Amino acid sequence: MSGGNDFGLIGLAVMGQNLVLNIESRGFSVSVYNRTPATTDDFVARHPGKRLTGCHSLADFVASLARPRKLMIMVKAGAAVDAVIEQLIPLLEADDIVIDGGNSLYTDTERRDAWLTPLGLRFVGAGVSGGEEGARKGPAIMPGGPASTWGVMRPIFEAIAAQVDGQPCVMHIGPGGAGHYVKMIHNGIEYGDMQLICEAYSLLQAAGMSTDQMAAVFEQWNDGELQSYLIQITAKALAQRDAETGKPVVDLILDKAGQKGTGQWTQLNAAENAVVISTINAAVEARVLSSQKAQRVVASRQLQGPPARLAVDHATLVAQVHDALYASKIVSYAQGLDLMRTMSDKKQWALDLGGIASIWRGGCIIRARFLNRITEAYQDDPALGNLMLAPFFQQVLNRGQMAWRQVVAQAVGAGIPVPAFSASLAYYDSLRTERLSANLLQAQRDFFGALTFERFDGPAGRWFNTDWPEVIE
Ligand code: NBP
């Protein structure tokens, strides 16, 4: 078939609708399909004059697309994606490109890739970040899949992606599930960023700052090295007043955090690969503990601690918390990048970590000025082992480490939980400690299990043990 629409999208919920409007606005004709046909009709009717073709059957939808067909599935992650693919398979032809733009688990993407490739179809798992607004105005897009699809998809992806300094926030991430994998790590890092900001807020609040004062601090931080979308929206959220009561909205919101699971996927992947992501772990666990509100209310009456108050000068605290936040953020990104590097080596994905940082500069939730510095660090040293050792980040960490300690120490002293700040600092201190206490740990292992140890005064790789005394209990 010649002619036909440039692109097709299945799944007209909030993400799908906004992506379609974005794609159409860049000059592409788009066919749309939704399981519930009324949604399709309503969507097309609400956008007259646009190059949209509403289809009531997948057969009509597939027939309406130019070949090789380029279509995106944007339905609820999980079984719905498989259900749509099953229906599509008999309708598609060799070389057609099926993109899953939802938040699929990367192992599901690998399974689908192995399912569709032998059928001659090209499957692209693409992470799309930025929520509703990103989808409409320009998301960060992380497509994986066969390299042959990149040339075909590039004009559309580059046209619809967010742009930063004239660069589109999209690149071919790597084969198979690499795109969805990188989106998962993006989300894990997002968890870390959000928790760190919340800890900064809790400390400023404990020093008696009003929400308006804190909003001003975050606004000021957004003009400096912490500039980021999340800092910006934090300032705006703190400044927001409830229309009914006139109180700050944040003071009315129940302290129970929700989560959709991508943070936990990141934790599992890190555990499987023995990579430390303690900041992200702390962030996920902080959400879990927050959700146990009833138990916390009981414990708050039974377990003792100092009053959660900081009697300190506001300007000094603000400067210290700034440094603690920046340093902890660097640790969190270093850990996320370490996990990506480990998986890239294991799966031979050849991930371009500097490039990934660069496409996260726009469209997505973690967009931030400092991502430029990560890109530069990998440009300067493509084999960089740990982000914290790049000269720029070393200097920031060395400069901020005393303030960071003071913040964590004050928080601990006042009984204010700062799990992500303290996990980040512990990682920093562990990494820079030449001689850890693991000598004693090895002694214990050898004591109870004859598991042997290496010696400082022995050659590396030679294993020793000792005749430990008998334990009489
Ligand atoms: P939802 O995740 O709420 O999914 C709703 C869509 O899935 C509807 O179009 C629905 O059709 C369709 N659907 C379902 Br449910 N089961 C289906 C099935 N068996 N067959 C065909 N269609 C089915 O939509 P969303 O919030 O727009 O999110 C879409 C994807 O994007 C998800 O993977 C989500 O995790 C991801 N997402 C990403 C971001 C981000 O920031 N990147 C934000 C939000 C969502 P119906 O109308 O007939 O029920």
Side-chain angles (χ1 to χ4, degrees), residues 10-17 33-37 39 73-81 83-84 87 100-104 127-132 183 260 365:
I10 299 168
L12 291 173
V14 61
M15 290 296 287
Q17 292 200 13
Y33 169 86
N34 193 70
R35 178 181 61 175
T36 307
T39 307
I73 302 170
M74 205 64 188
V75 302
K76 194 174 167 64
V81 178
V84 173
Q87 294 168 66
D100 172 16
N103 267 344
S104 293
V128 178
S129 177
E132 178 178 352
K183 173 64 175 25
K260 287 196 198 158
I365 305 298

